[in-house]
Amino acid sequence: MTDQAPAAQTDGPEIPGKPVSASRTTLSHIMTHSDTNLLGTVHGGVIMKLVDDAAGAVAGRHSGGPAVTASMDEMAFFEPVRVGDLVHVKAQVNWTGRTSMEVGVRVLAERWNESTPATHVGSAYLVFAAVDADGKPRRVPPVLPESDRDRRRYQEAQIRRTHRLSRRRAILELREKRAAEGFDD
């Protein structure tokens, strides 16, 4: 099995690919009382911001410049995060298209003062678009999976992309049909 992913569509000079490890990163943050919700656990929005921050750093590193969040496909919370937890947000590029990238994020938490293994508390998939100085889409280097796990993530990202595009198409078709039937939604 090859370590190379399919190259992005070309409409100019070929951009050399980058290995997953070139942009992989971990953001760590200790949770404080200012991060809590009404239940006394860390607010999901705080975790989502950390996820977006880490994913944005990875997307910018991989694309070699600015990248903006285009969508968050999924954010799953598995366990609550508490005040005093040291949260590690691990992110990597899973897949690249011509101007977009899927970044996978894994959120781990451990007690700041204990030497117990970190717990997997959440996961997310975000899509970023690389942009130029005028905010227009720009091409990104293909991602080069380096391990079997990276190749699996690449394949799963392609499935998520297919579902995203199919869902968008179905919604637009439904809206057109309702408009043709005279519904003013």
PDB file of all heavy atoms in Angstrom, residues 55-70:
ATOM      1  N   ALA A  55      -7.533  23.193  15.233  1.00  0.00           N
ATOM      2  CA  ALA A  55      -7.766  22.825  13.836  1.00  0.00           C
ATOM      3  C   ALA A  55      -7.322  23.943  12.897  1.00  0.00           C
ATOM      4  O   ALA A  55      -6.736  23.683  11.837  1.00  0.00           O
ATOM      5  CB  ALA A  55      -9.244  22.491  13.613  1.00  0.00           C
ATOM      6  N   GLY A  56      -7.562  25.182  13.284  1.00  0.00           N
ATOM      7  CA  GLY A  56      -7.136  26.319  12.467  1.00  0.00           C
ATOM      8  C   GLY A  56      -5.624  26.403  12.348  1.00  0.00           C
ATOM      9  O   GLY A  56      -5.092  26.715  11.275  1.00  0.00           O
ATOM     10  N   ALA A  57      -4.933  26.118  13.441  1.00  0.00           N
ATOM     11  CA  ALA A  57      -3.466  26.119  13.397  1.00  0.00           C
ATOM     12  C   ALA A  57      -2.960  25.045  12.446  1.00  0.00           C
ATOM     13  O   ALA A  57      -2.047  25.284  11.644  1.00  0.00           O
ATOM     14  CB  ALA A  57      -2.899  25.906  14.805  1.00  0.00           C
ATOM     15  N   VAL A  58      -3.554  23.871  12.513  1.00  0.00           N
ATOM     16  CA  VAL A  58      -3.151  22.771  11.637  1.00  0.00           C
ATOM     17  C   VAL A  58      -3.440  23.127  10.173  1.00  0.00           C
ATOM     18  O   VAL A  58      -2.597  22.915   9.292  1.00  0.00           O
ATOM     19  CB  VAL A  58      -3.872  21.464  12.048  1.00  0.00           C
ATOM     20  CG1 VAL A  58      -3.748  20.401  10.974  1.00  0.00           C
ATOM     21  CG2 VAL A  58      -3.303  20.962  13.362  1.00  0.00           C
ATOM     22  N   ALA A  59      -4.621  23.674   9.909  1.00  0.00           N
ATOM     23  CA  ALA A  59      -4.985  24.032   8.534  1.00  0.00           C
ATOM     24  C   ALA A  59      -4.045  25.104   7.981  1.00  0.00           C
ATOM     25  O   ALA A  59      -3.615  25.028   6.827  1.00  0.00           O
ATOM     26  CB  ALA A  59      -6.439  24.508   8.482  1.00  0.00           C
ATOM     27  N   GLY A  60      -3.707  26.088   8.805  1.00  0.00           N
ATOM     28  CA  GLY A  60      -2.779  27.132   8.366  1.00  0.00           C
ATOM     29  C   GLY A  60      -1.389  26.581   8.113  1.00  0.00           C
ATOM     30  O   GLY A  60      -0.732  26.951   7.134  1.00  0.00           O
ATOM     31  N   ARG A  61      -0.941  25.700   8.983  1.00  0.00           N
ATOM     32  CA  ARG A  61       0.374  25.073   8.796  1.00  0.00           C
ATOM     33  C   ARG A  61       0.415  24.252   7.517  1.00  0.00           C
ATOM     34  O   ARG A  61       1.360  24.329   6.742  1.00  0.00           O
ATOM     35  CB  ARG A  61       0.698  24.140   9.962  1.00  0.00           C
ATOM     36  CG  ARG A  61       1.196  24.803  11.188  1.00  0.00           C
ATOM     37  CD  ARG A  61       1.421  23.741  12.252  1.00  0.00           C
ATOM     38  NE  ARG A  61       2.315  24.236  13.276  1.00  0.00           N
ATOM     39  CZ  ARG A  61       2.802  23.493  14.247  1.00  0.00           C
ATOM     40  NH1 ARG A  61       2.492  22.217  14.327  1.00  0.00           N
ATOM     41  NH2 ARG A  61       3.599  24.009  15.145  1.00  0.00           N
ATOM     42  N   HIS A  62      -0.628  23.439   7.325  1.00  0.00           N
ATOM     43  CA  HIS A  62      -0.629  22.568   6.150  1.00  0.00           C
ATOM     44  C   HIS A  62      -0.714  23.384   4.861  1.00  0.00           C
ATOM     45  O   HIS A  62       0.004  23.101   3.891  1.00  0.00           O
ATOM     46  CB  HIS A  62      -1.776  21.561   6.192  1.00  0.00           C
ATOM     47  CG  HIS A  62      -1.752  20.631   5.027  1.00  0.00           C
ATOM     48  ND1 HIS A  62      -0.946  19.515   4.986  1.00  0.00           N
ATOM     49  CD2 HIS A  62      -2.380  20.691   3.821  1.00  0.00           C
ATOM     50  CE1 HIS A  62      -1.082  18.920   3.813  1.00  0.00           C
ATOM     51  NE2 HIS A  62      -1.950  19.615   3.099  1.00  0.00           N
ATOM     52  N   SER A  63      -1.579  24.385   4.850  1.00  0.00           N
ATOM     53  CA  SER A  63      -1.802  25.146   3.611  1.00  0.00           C
ATOM     54  C   SER A  63      -0.759  26.232   3.388  1.00  0.00           C
ATOM     55  O   SER A  63      -0.678  26.792   2.302  1.00  0.00           O
ATOM     56  CB  SER A  63      -3.200  25.755   3.613  1.00  0.00           C
ATOM     57  OG  SER A  63      -3.306  26.780   4.596  1.00  0.00           O
ATOM     58  N   GLY A  64       0.033  26.532   4.416  1.00  0.00           N
ATOM     59  CA  GLY A  64       1.069  27.546   4.271  1.00  0.00           C
ATOM     60  C   GLY A  64       0.541  28.963   4.281  1.00  0.00           C
ATOM     61  O   GLY A  64       1.137  29.861   3.698  1.00  0.00           O
ATOM     62  N   GLY A  65      -0.576  29.186   4.945  1.00  0.00           N
ATOM     63  CA  GLY A  65      -1.153  30.523   5.017  1.00  0.00           C
ATOM     64  C   GLY A  65      -2.514  30.481   5.665  1.00  0.00           C
ATOM     65  O   GLY A  65      -2.907  29.476   6.257  1.00  0.00           O
ATOM     66  N   PRO A  66      -3.263  31.573   5.539  1.00  0.00           N
ATOM     67  CA  PRO A  66      -4.561  31.647   6.203  1.00  0.00           C
ATOM     68  C   PRO A  66      -5.546  30.582   5.722  1.00  0.00           C
ATOM     69  O   PRO A  66      -5.577  30.234   4.543  1.00  0.00           O
ATOM     70  CB  PRO A  66      -5.090  33.042   5.842  1.00  0.00           C
ATOM     71  CG  PRO A  66      -3.966  33.772   5.222  1.00  0.00           C
ATOM     72  CD  PRO A  66      -2.943  32.785   4.792  1.00  0.00           C
ATOM     73  N   ALA A  67      -6.331  30.092   6.670  1.00  0.00           N
ATOM     74  CA  ALA A  67      -7.400  29.145   6.373  1.00  0.00           C
ATOM     75  C   ALA A  67      -8.553  29.466   7.306  1.00  0.00           C
ATOM     76  O   ALA A  67      -8.334  29.807   8.471  1.00  0.00           O
ATOM     77  CB  ALA A  67      -6.927  27.707   6.558  1.00  0.00           C
ATOM     78  N   VAL A  68      -9.757  29.382   6.798  1.00  0.00           N
ATOM     79  CA  VAL A  68     -10.938  29.720   7.583  1.00  0.00           C
ATOM     80  C   VAL A  68     -11.818  28.497   7.775  1.00  0.00           C
ATOM     81  O   VAL A  68     -11.865  27.608   6.926  1.00  0.00           O
ATOM     82  CB  VAL A  68     -11.748  30.866   6.930  1.00  0.00           C
ATOM     83  CG1 VAL A  68     -10.934  32.147   6.897  1.00  0.00           C
ATOM     84  CG2 VAL A  68     -12.197  30.496   5.526  1.00  0.00           C
ATOM     85  N   THR A  69     -12.533  28.463   8.893  1.00  0.00           N
ATOM     86  CA  THR A  69     -13.453  27.364   9.170  1.00  0.00           C
ATOM     87  C   THR A  69     -14.614  27.445   8.194  1.00  0.00           C
ATOM     88  O   THR A  69     -15.303  28.460   8.134  1.00  0.00           O
ATOM     89  CB  THR A  69     -13.986  27.451  10.615  1.00  0.00           C
ATOM     90  OG1 THR A  69     -12.896  27.626  11.516  1.00  0.00           O
ATOM     91  CG2 THR A  69     -14.789  26.212  10.978  1.00  0.00           C
ATOM     92  N   ALA A  70     -14.837  26.385   7.447  1.00  0.00           N
ATOM     93  CA  ALA A  70     -15.961  26.323   6.510  1.00  0.00           C
ATOM     94  C   ALA A  70     -17.139  25.577   7.134  1.00  0.00           C
ATOM     95  O   ALA A  70     -18.293  25.943   6.932  1.00  0.00           O
ATOM     96  CB  ALA A  70     -15.539  25.654   5.205  1.00  0.00           C
TER      97      ALA A  70
END
